[in-house]
Amino acid sequence: MKETRMYIKCDRCGKETSVGIEKSKIENGKTIETWEGLPDGWITTIDNKDLCPDCAERYRELQKKFFQK
């Protein structure tokens, strides 16, 4: 069975995850697909970068340290 999936790759460490299509419908002759939500902790973008949960946490800690000084 074939399945259409969207792959998300962390721009920092390269860790990957994927999501499938939750539902699709046809309107005016065009197929409209709705994707499942990202797994818990996955951030879509921070400063135009896709980050996994580990890298997002490190990034936030780095920001905290930087702005506290």
Side-chain angles (χ1 to χ4, degrees), residues 5-65:
R5 299 195 63 80
M6 175 175 49
Y7 287 87
I8 298 99
K9 184 175 182 179
C10 179
D11 288 329
R12 185 174 180 276
C13 72
K15 194 183 295 183
E16 296 180 348
T17 190
S18 67
V19 293
I21 295 175
E22 188 171 71
K23 61 182 176 180
S24 63
K25 61 183 176 179
I26 298 176
E27 284 187 15
N28 299 328
K30 294 183 181 182
T31 303
I32 299 171
E33 298 169 337
T34 304
W35 297 97
E36 297 172 347
L38 288 170
D40 287 341
W42 273 83
I43 305 293
T44 49
T45 56
I46 294 178
D47 291 339
N48 296 323
K49 304 248 185 266
D50 293 325
L51 298 177
C52 70
D54 297 331
C55 292
E57 185 178 330
R58 287 187 200 128
Y59 185 81
R60 286 187 188 118
E61 288 174 10
L62 184 65
Q63 277 185 321
K64 263 185 173 178
K65 288 179 183 177

